[in-house]
Every structure is written in structure tokens, then in C-alpha cells.
Amino acid sequence: MKTCRIVGAGDFCTTSLNRNEDSFFIAADKGFKNLTDCGILPDLLVGDFDSLGFVPEFPNILKYPVEKDKTDMQLAVEYALEKDFDLILMYGALGGRLDHSLSNLLLLNYISKQGKKGFIISEDFVVSAITDGELIFSDKAQGVISVFALGEKAEHVTLRGLKYTLDDALLTADSPLGVSNEFLGQKASVSVKNGTLTVLWFGSLDNCLSL
Amino acid sequence: MKTCRIVGAGDFCTTSLNRNEDSFFIAADKGFKNLTDCGILPDLLVGDFDSLGFVPEFPNILKYPVEKDKTDMQLAVEYALEKDFDLILMYGALGGRLDHSLSNLLLLNYISKQGKKGFIISEDFVVSAITDGELIFSDKAQGVISVFALGEKAEHVTLRGLKYTLDDALLTADSPLGVSNEFLGQKASVSVKNGTLTVLWFGSLDNCLSL
């Protein structure tokens, strides 16, 4: 699968990345510092560079004005979608300013609605969004998993193999019905038939079998 | 205005609360520790007490089973709505686990759709949700303000007196169009005519004139 890894300025787990991976790396603004701090040079640098504070001398750079409609992470995601990457992994996308974290969660909705797979990887947990689709988890997954409708209503939501199952349920952004579910040490699945569902689980991406 | 203050287990700014305020105080589970740490006893204690780790000896307590559909914060909010409080202020509602933070942001949608005013107060910023309504800010407000549609589409969104204005715009949960706007030191307003809008601004509740 053609994979793009985007690194932002948020909390960043350096151990989860190395340059040997067959990925295209984009640094979004101060994500450049996050990435180079762990010895990796990006393939592309995107942003207005207000948070980094300087424009690096770098051969492959897309520099935008500070006064723009889109966030640096959004510009990086749009680049990845234009170049037809199937899988977009965002790092350093959470844990800083809450508005930036929320903004990055909405980008998962956007990626999913374009028919691509998107994941935010943080130190402790992973977030994804699925549209009219399914995520399947291995029996190695453990701990908490939560599902949210962050957007239009999510219809026909089915949760299997988890502590609390749902069958063909409706989730809306007015109620946190799907928070704090739990893996049971067995194969599990989360699916939605009409709408977009945000799925957050503690652990790693490896426990998700849907890649 | 009949005010209920609910304290949860998240990051908590002790300086923003005192017992002299004319409020009903609810502690949600480990929020009991947050609240008593600053010398305030709640009027009501709500939760399953799994995060606090023990059930306090307390005269006014609503104890729920651990295996329930709703979060402790949600039970406290529902209590406040049943008792017809007009203004619900949530503290310690952000900064812990991201799924809990998201869940509490969705509770703001819920409060707003019930025709009541809800705010999450954290150390640095305030979040609210408005449905078919308006928030007005004084010229003392400064720094960043972001607006999001976390839910169904928000139609006829108008931003005035901010660095980037919007006039009768459509916001959806697929794009973070309203992130990182700025106050300009003048009176400002955020309004939506059809839908619910999440509004997050750095600073205090005092700068919001809509109470």
C-alpha cells in the first residue's frame, strides 16, 4: 500500500518511526523539528513556518503564507491525497493545542470520505475514521476502545467481540454512547454502514488488521 | 441564572472556583478529589467511583454501576438538565484521556440542543457549543478563537469582528475551516442559524458577553 507519513508539531513518539520504512515522509511546519530530532529528513516540507520560526534550507519545500484558510497539517494531507497515497499516517497530530487536535481529527473524516485510509498515531493510542466501512482488530488488542460520530449521524453501527456490543445502532454527535468500550482478547470489529465513525483505541496500529 | 458547576477528573484549574459562588456543585467521580483538594465540598456526588477508587462517605450521592452506558460526566449533566439549571459549567473535563475529552465536548452539543448554555472551562481556554444561536465577545478578548462543526453541518455561520470573517458560511465536520481565527481587540460575534457550532477560545469566560 502506497503510504505517506506526515509529522506535525504535537506530542511525538520518536520510537515509532524509522527511515527504512517504505514511506514518503512529509513534515508539517514544526513537525520538521520533531522528525529531524529523531534523525529523519522528510521528503517534503510543508507549511507557513510560523510555529517553527524559520524557513529551513531544504530542497523540497512548499511554503505557504501565514494568513491562509488551511492548517499546515491540512495542506500536507491534501498533498498526500493529490498524489494518490492510499494510506496516510499522521504523527505529532495530538496533544498540543486542543483546537489543532480537533482539527486533525476532522482531517481523518476528510481522508476517509475520499475513500483513503487515515490514522493518527500517538504514543499511547491510535485514532482512525471509517466511512461506510469496517475496522478489524486482532485478539492481541487490549484495553479501551471508543467510537464517536464526529459529524453527521452514523447509521447501522455494529460492534462485535468487545465488552459492550452494538447491533445496527445509530450514533450521533450529541451523545457519547460509544466511549470506553473494551477489547476482550478476541478478534473484534467496528463497522458503520451509512456515515463516518471516529474510532480511538489504546495500543498500536499493529493490532488493527484492516491495513 | 441558575448555575450548576460540574467538576470532573481531568486537568483542573483550582484558582477559578470558590464556594462563595452562587452555584450548585456536582463532583463527577474523581472530580471529588479535584474539588476537595481546593477545599470545596460538592452538593452532590455522582459516579461509579472506579476512577476515584473508593466510595466516599457523603450524604448526597448518586452511585451507579461501573458497567453502564453513560460516563460519569454525562450522568452529572443529565442531572443538571433534569433539575432545570440554565447554565452548566464543566471543569476538569479536558486534558485527561482524549476519548473522555471528546466525550465531554459532545456533551456540550447535547446541552446546547436542550436549549441550555454549557461551557467547559480549562486553565487556558473555554469551549462552548451553540445551536441556532450566537456568542458575543467583549473587546477584552484576545488571542485565538476556533469554531468547529462537530456534528451535523452548521449552516449560515457568521463571524464578525475577528481577523477572518465569515458570512453565511457552511461548516462541516469534514474540514477544519474555522480553526485558528483571532480576536482583534474589538467586540466580536460568532453565530449559526441552522445547526450546532463548537466554539473554543483562549482566555476566560468573562470575555463572553452572552451569559
Side-chain angles (χ1 to χ4, degrees), chain A residues 133-150:
Chain A
E134 186 176 33
L135 285 180
I136 298 169
F137 297 92
S138 79
D139 56 7
K140 303 284 189 301
Q142 51 184 338
V144 171
I145 173 170
S146 294
V147 299
F148 297 93
L150 291 187

Side-chain angles (χ1 to χ4, degrees), chain A residues 130 132-134 153-160 166-172 190-197:
Chain A
I130 49 173
D132 306 351
E134 186 176 33
K153 62 189 173 190
E155 296 178 301
H156 310 295
V157 174
T158 298
L159 310 180
R160 297 209 193 288
L166 276 180
D167 196 19
D168 218 28
L170 171 69
L171 259 66
T172 69
V190 171
S191 67
V192 55
K193 278 196 186 148
N194 188 25
T196 298
L197 203 61

Side-chain angles (χ1 to χ4, degrees), chain A residues 66-71 74 94 97-107 109-110 113 125 127 144-146 148-153 163-164 172-180 196 198 200 202, chain B residues 66-71 74 94 97-107 109-110 113 125 127 144-146 148-153 163-164 172-180 196 198 200 202:
Chain A
V66 174
E67 300 201 3
K68 61 191 185 314
D69 283 346
K70 296 174 180 175
T71 66
Q74 188 173 7
L94 298 173
R97 263 172 43 189
L98 179 65
D99 52 350
H100 281 181
S101 296
L102 280 175
S103 159
N104 292 335
L105 291 171
L106 297 190
L107 288 178
N109 286 1
Y110 181 69
K113 288 208 169 181
F125 56 89
V127 195
V144 171
I145 173 170
S146 294
F148 297 93
L150 291 187
E152 307 274 322
K153 62 189 173 190
K163 183 167 181 181
Y164 306 97
T172 69
D174 305 333
S175 165
L177 177 66
V179 75
S180 289
T196 298
T198 299
L200 181 160
F202 287 76
Chain B
V66 174
E67 300 201 2
K68 60 190 186 315
D69 283 346
K70 295 174 180 177
T71 66
Q74 188 174 6
L94 298 173
R97 262 172 44 188
L98 179 65
D99 51 351
H100 283 181
S101 296
L102 280 176
S103 160
N104 293 334
L105 290 171
L106 298 190
L107 287 177
N109 286 1
Y110 181 69
K113 288 208 169 180
F125 56 89
V127 196
V144 170
I145 174 170
S146 294
F148 297 93
L150 291 187
E152 307 273 323
K153 61 190 173 189
K163 183 166 180 181
Y164 306 96
T172 70
D174 306 333
S175 164
L177 177 66
V179 75
S180 289
T196 298
T198 299
L200 181 160
F202 287 76

Side-chain angles (χ1 to χ4, degrees), chain B residues 111-122:
Chain B
I111 293 167
S112 164
K113 288 208 169 180
Q114 307 293 312
K116 304 296 186 181
K117 293 177 192 292
F119 294 86
I120 290 178
I121 320 267
S122 80

Side-chain angles (χ1 to χ4, degrees), chain A:
Chain A
M1 198 175 292
K2 202 180 156 198
T3 304
C4 181
R5 293 175 199 255
I6 305 175
V7 178
D11 290 348
F12 184 59
C13 174
T14 55
T15 55
S16 60
L17 275 185
N18 67 73
R19 197 64 180 96
N20 298 328
E21 288 168 294
D22 181 22
S23 284
F24 188 83
F25 280 79
I26 303 178
D29 202 325
K30 204 177 175 180
F32 182 71
K33 182 173 184 325
N34 270 341
L35 198 53
T36 52
D37 276 356
C38 63
I40 297 175
L41 276 179
D43 298 292
L44 175 68
L45 189 48
V46 170
D48 56 22
F49 304 104
D50 63 342
S51 66
L52 187 61
F54 66 100
V55 183
E57 290 283 338
F58 197 77
N60 199 9
I61 189 164
L62 291 174
K63 187 179 178 320
Y64 290 85
V66 174
E67 300 201 3
K68 61 191 185 314
D69 283 346
K70 296 174 180 175
T71 66
D72 297 320
M73 188 63 96
Q74 188 173 7
L75 293 166
V77 165
E78 287 186 355
Y79 179 93
L81 290 170
E82 271 166 29
K83 298 295 179 186
D84 218 25
F85 285 98
D86 312 296
L87 175 63
I88 299 174
L89 304 178
M90 288 185 266
Y91 301 79
L94 298 173
R97 263 172 43 189
L98 179 65
D99 52 350
H100 281 181
S101 296
L102 280 175
S103 159
N104 292 335
L105 291 171
L106 297 190
L107 288 178
L108 289 176
N109 286 1
Y110 181 69
I111 293 166
S112 165
K113 288 208 169 181
Q114 306 294 313
K116 305 296 186 180
K117 292 176 192 291
F119 295 86
I120 290 178
I121 321 268
S122 79
E123 193 149 3
D124 300 320
F125 56 89
V126 179
V127 195
S128 189
I130 49 173
T131 302
D132 306 351
E134 186 176 33
L135 285 180
I136 298 169
F137 297 92
S138 79
D139 56 7
K140 303 284 189 301
Q142 51 184 338
V144 171
I145 173 170
S146 294
V147 299
F148 297 93
L150 291 187
E152 307 274 322
K153 62 189 173 190
E155 296 178 301
H156 310 295
V157 174
T158 298
L159 310 180
R160 297 209 193 288
L162 299 173
K163 183 167 181 181
Y164 306 97
T165 56
L166 276 180
D167 196 19
D168 218 28
L170 171 69
L171 259 66
T172 69
D174 305 333
S175 165
L177 177 66
V179 75
S180 289
N181 211 323
E182 283 176 44
F183 291 109
L184 293 174
Q186 63 191 45
K187 197 168 164 180
S189 67
V190 171
S191 67
V192 55
K193 278 196 186 148
N194 188 25
T196 298
L197 203 61
T198 299
V199 187
L200 181 160
W201 69 95
F202 287 76
S204 74
L205 189 57
D206 296 341
N207 295 325
C208 178
L209 303 178
S210 304
L211 293 184

